[in-house]
């Protein structure tokens, strides 16, 4: 029997951990640092930070056969390079590959070198240069700070004035801030993810996240308020186009000598001129993971280990549609204080993989929120409609004082 370590603490890592634990080959799954809610799923949180590479490697050497890295910060900081140097089996992008997520300019240049369709963009490093592009291109226009910003570094400006104040804000903080100014695209967005190792890849179905805080895509950007997958509003041709872009990306990485493994996440916008790549992430999406992994019928431990061993894997899907609704602290994305009670899930909910904790603390048997996105409730259906109905039944029962969007998955009904 094998033991697995998942690095990270959110609902994505809870879903990954639960998927590994469902493998008959897996005995124990540790999550570093995890959250207390994960214990209800049979996972074992261990008190190590995602950036404590030494501590994590020591733990992996002593206790685990495979480590899977969830979030971007440790990937960009080189956790995979460190594990490999220590001879530990790890699934995730190394520091070179993680630049595709860590630097928007690096990703843009990569796409341009390989003719991967993306928005026209100009790299700038001063307010004067940025203002010149703004004067030349006009609005609407998109301003993207380079580097990791947890989804908060992008301003889609409908007017020149909004763009100007975004730029002024950026350049008051850092007079030489690297940034991208992009042409503003329009269309529906979807995410497509793949597990890959070298030239082998396993491409997951399309999913759709809902990033804005409030219904009808209003309010500030968040880490993600809910997701649906498969996203049935996209045609078979559109899904095939997305897969093709993924295969081109994997081939392009190999072309550039960027060998490695992990996850590729493409944020796509289906414009009138076809799909364009908005961004790459080198990790699974949250909350998309919570609606993608339950579709997979393969033994997940086998899937990852076989990919690492260079064997082509066929993905087996169960054909269900999943809707995941994120329950947040009502103040989210602002400071999520004070802690609020979290209703205790039933055994049935836990066994069904419907209750996925992101920031749940256990205080003497009482569950409390310990962050902005508190948990994801996930339900399945044979149609988007029935999956939505089932998910919102759970939400009504378990939300308590937590907040959520009412319209997760509605675009799949159109
Ligand atoms: P990103 O972090 O690059 O994915 O951007 C975050 C969000 O900003 C995306 O999910 C889109 O909604 C929006 N966005 C990014 N780039 C563009 C673009 N070129 N045109 C329109 N919207 C964009
Ligand atoms: N759900 C968006 C992300 O994980 O980046």
């Amino acid at each position: 029997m094998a033991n697995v370590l998942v690095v990270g603490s959110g609902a994505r890592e809870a879903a990954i951990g639960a998927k590994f634990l469902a493998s008959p080959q897996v005995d124990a799954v540790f999550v570093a640092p995890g959250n207390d809610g994960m214990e209800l799923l049979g996972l074992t949180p261990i008190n190590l930070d995602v950036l404590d590479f030494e501590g994590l490697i020591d733990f992996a050497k002593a206790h685990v056969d495979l480590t899977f890295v969830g979030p971007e910060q440790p990937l960009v900081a080189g956790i995979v390079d460190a594990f490999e140097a220590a001879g530990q089996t790890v699934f995730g992008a190394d520091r070179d590959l993680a630049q595709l997520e860590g630097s928007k300019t690096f990703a843009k240049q990569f796409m341009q070198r390989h003719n991967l369709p993306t928005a026209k963009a100009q790299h700038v490093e001063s307010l004067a240069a940025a203002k010149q592009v703004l004067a030349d291109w006009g609005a609407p226009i998109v301003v993207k700070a380079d580097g990791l910003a947890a989804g908060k570094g992008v301003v889609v400006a409908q007017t020149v004035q909004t763009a100007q104040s975004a730029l002024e804000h950026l350049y008051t903080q850092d007079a030489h801030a690297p940034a991208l100014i992009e042409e503003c695209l329009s269309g529906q967005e979807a995410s497509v993810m793949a597990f890959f190792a070298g030239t082998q890849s396993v491409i997951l179905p399309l999913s759709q996240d809902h990033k804005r805080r409030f219904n009808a895509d209003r309010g500030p950007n968040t880490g993600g308020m809910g997701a649906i997958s498969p996203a049935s509003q996209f045609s078979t041709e559109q899904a095939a186009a997305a897969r093709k872009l993924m295969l081109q990306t994997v081939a392009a990485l190999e072309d550039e000598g960027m060998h490695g493994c992990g996850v590729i996440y493409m944020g796509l916008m289906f414009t009138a001129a076809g799909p364009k790549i908005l961004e790459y992430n080198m990790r699974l999406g949250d909350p998309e993971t919570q609606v993608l992994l339950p579709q997979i019928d393969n033994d997940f431990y086998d899937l990852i280990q076989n990919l690492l061993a260079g064997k082509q894997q066929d993905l087996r899907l169960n054909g269900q549609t999943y809707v995941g609704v994120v329950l947040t602290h009502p103040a989210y994305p602002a400071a999520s204080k004070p802690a609020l009670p979290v209703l205790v899930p039933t055994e049935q909910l836990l066994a069904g993989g419907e209750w996925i904790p992101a920031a749940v603390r256990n205080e003497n048997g009482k569950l409390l929120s310990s962050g902005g996105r508190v948990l994801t409730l996930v339900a399945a259906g044979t149609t988007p409609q029935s999956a939505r109905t089932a998910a919102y039944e759970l939400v009504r029962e378990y939300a308590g004082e937590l907040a959520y969007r009412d319209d997760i998955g509605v675009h799949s009904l159109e």
Side-chain angles (χ1 to χ4, degrees):
M1 294 287 275
N3 289 341
V4 177
L5 169 63
V6 178
V7 175
S9 65
R12 167 183 51 208
E13 287 74 23
I16 296 167
K19 197 70 185 171
F20 275 121
L21 200 57
S23 161
Q25 301 175 69
V26 172
D27 195 27
V29 176
F30 304 97
V31 192
N35 68 76
D36 295 345
M38 292 179 178
E39 288 176 346
L40 301 181
L41 304 181
L43 310 173
T44 309
I46 55 166
N47 192 14
L48 287 171
D49 188 80
V50 298
L51 294 175
D52 178 4
F53 297 170
E54 231 178 84
L56 292 167
I57 288 169
D58 284 347
F59 184 85
K61 279 185 177 163
H63 302 289
V64 311
D65 303 280
L66 169 69
T67 298
F68 188 110
V69 185
E72 60 272 27
Q73 294 88 351
L75 293 169
V76 170
I79 190 171
V80 168
D81 311 66
F83 267 66
E84 282 174 350
Q88 293 303 297
T89 307
V90 59
F91 194 79
D94 63 18
R95 195 191 275 125
D96 273 358
L97 283 164
Q99 288 180 85
L100 270 186
E101 170 160 10
S103 164
K104 290 184 187 298
T105 299
F106 180 88
K108 185 63 74 173
Q109 288 168 348
F110 172 84
M111 291 184 255
Q112 288 167 343
R113 276 197 298 279
H114 296 280
N115 289 319
L116 287 154
T118 184
K120 181 174 83 166
Q122 181 68 48
H123 177 85
V124 292
E125 292 190 3
S126 72
L127 183 59
K131 280 192 165 165
Q132 186 58 53
V133 181
L134 187 56
D136 292 345
W137 293 6
I141 196 162
V142 180
V143 176
K144 295 186 174 184
D146 209 24
L148 293 181
K152 288 156 202 144
V154 176
V155 177
V156 180
Q158 295 305 330
T159 63
V160 169
Q161 207 172 10
T162 316
Q164 219 149 24
S165 47
L167 288 168
E168 272 153 20
H169 182 68
L170 181 67
Y171 286 103
T172 332
Q173 292 172 317
D174 172 1
H176 305 288
L180 276 184
I181 315 278
E182 272 194 21
E183 135 196 47
C184 187
L185 303 172
S186 63
Q188 263 210 65
E189 287 181 56
S191 318
V192 60
M193 277 155 244
F195 300 109
F196 81 105
T199 53
Q200 307 284 355
S201 59
V202 172
I203 305 177
L204 301 175
L206 283 179
S207 53
Q208 189 167 54
D209 182 15
H210 299 65
K211 285 186 183 154
R212 299 297 192 101
R213 171 64 182 80
F214 300 114
N215 290 345
D217 296 328
R218 289 175 202 285
N221 259 321
T222 71
M225 293 297 295
I228 186 166
S229 179
S232 60
Q233 65 270 44
F234 300 103
S235 65
T236 319
E237 290 74 25
Q238 286 176 311
R243 291 177 66 84
K244 195 168 153 210
L245 292 180
M246 183 60 86
L247 292 173
Q248 284 176 342
T249 298
V250 173
L253 290 175
E254 193 62 20
D255 250 21
E256 297 209 356
M258 291 167 80
H259 306 294
C261 67
V263 174
I264 299 176
Y265 167 134
M266 292 192 306
L268 296 177
M269 188 173 271
F270 285 91
T271 71
K276 305 239 172 161
I277 303 171
L278 293 180
E279 63 164 345
Y280 285 113
N281 295 317
M282 298 305 282
R283 52 166 176 84
L284 288 168
D286 186 341
E288 292 96 322
T289 301
Q290 294 90 297
V291 294
L292 285 167
L293 296 188
Q295 295 177 59
I296 300 177
D297 272 345
N298 305 57
D299 177 321
F300 194 59
Y301 185 74
D302 264 351
L303 185 81
I304 298 300
Q305 286 286 27
N306 287 343
L307 259 180
L308 283 171
K311 296 185 202 151
Q312 181 59 43
Q313 300 296 292
D314 292 324
L315 188 63
R316 295 194 307 278
L317 298 172
N318 67 7
Q320 300 272 86
T321 295
Y322 288 81
V323 168
V325 181
V326 175
L327 302 184
T328 73
H329 192 284
Y332 179 73
S336 47
K337 294 216 163 82
L340 292 173
V342 173
L343 299 183
V344 178
T346 59
E347 284 302 323
Q348 193 193 350
L349 206 61
L350 294 168
E354 294 162 307
W355 187 88
I356 310 186
V360 175
R361 191 154 58 82
N362 185 337
E363 212 174 82
N364 307 319
K366 263 180 65 183
L367 299 184
L368 293 173
S369 70
S370 59
R373 290 196 293 177
V374 181
L375 62 111
T376 310
L377 291 171
V378 176
T382 51
T383 61
Q385 178 71 64
S386 61
R388 251 179 67 74
T389 305
Y392 279 102
E393 270 170 24
L394 293 180
V395 169
R396 275 190 294 277
E397 200 168 341
Y398 287 95
E401 294 175 45
L402 302 175
Y404 55 89
R405 271 178 66 162
D406 294 313
D407 61 347
I408 304 305
V410 285
H411 299 307
S412 296
L413 308 179
E414 287 159 7

